[in-house]
Amino acid sequence: TSPKALRKLYRDFRISRPAAEETFWGAENSVVVAWECSAALQDGMTVRFTIDGVDQTASTENMLGVTLDRGTHTVNAAIIDAKGRPLVTTDTITFYVHQQTAKGNGL
C-alpha cells in the first residue's frame, strides 16, 4: 500500500483525550492521552505520542498514562510505518494540569 493510500486510510486519526483546552485538577497530576481512528493499524505500524515536544515510546496501544507537572501542556500523535517513518500526524492539543489548593490554613 502506498504512503498516499495509507494517509487517506488514516485521515480521521486524531487525539481523543484530552479535549482541547481541557483542565485536569488533582494532586497526582495523572493524565491519560488517547488516540482514535476508524481504521486499525496495519502490521508493523505503531503510534508515537509527543508530549511537550518530547517523543514518547511508540506502541500499538491507543492510550498512555503520564504524570505531568502543573501548567500548560501539548500533545500530538503520529502513526509510524514499519520503516519508522511518520505517515499521519494529529493536530496538537493544548491542555492544562492544576493542583488543588488548600482552602485556608485554619487561622
Side-chain angles (χ1 to χ4, degrees):
T1 308
S2 73
K4 183 178 179 180
L6 289 171
R7 282 191 287 278
K8 186 175 181 182
L9 179 65
Y10 296 109
R11 69 184 172 276
D12 65 344
F13 176 60
R14 68 181 190 89
I15 297 289
S16 58
R17 285 177 70 182
E21 305 297 319
E22 185 171 353
T23 299
F24 293 89
W25 293 90
E28 287 120 32
N29 299 354
S30 295
V31 175
V32 173
V33 296
W35 60 268
E36 64 182 32
C37 186
S38 60
L41 295 178
Q42 295 184 3
D43 287 344
M45 289 183 172
T46 58
V47 171
R48 182 183 62 232
F49 288 105
T50 301
I51 300 173
D52 299 333
V54 178
D55 290 343
Q56 307 298 305
T57 302
S59 107
T60 57
E61 298 295 318
N62 75 328
M63 65 178 59
L64 174 70
V66 293
T67 301
L68 299 169
D69 292 333
R70 68 180 175 186
T72 303
H73 299 279
T74 59
V75 62
N76 69 1
I79 295 177
I80 309 299
D81 71 10
K83 294 180 181 178
R85 299 174 299 197
L87 285 173
V88 182
T89 303
T90 67
D91 290 336
T92 298
I93 300 294
T94 299
F95 62 98
Y96 310 96
V97 174
H98 289 281
Q99 291 179 323
Q100 299 279 357
T101 56
K103 294 187 177 187
N105 58 9
L107 297 178

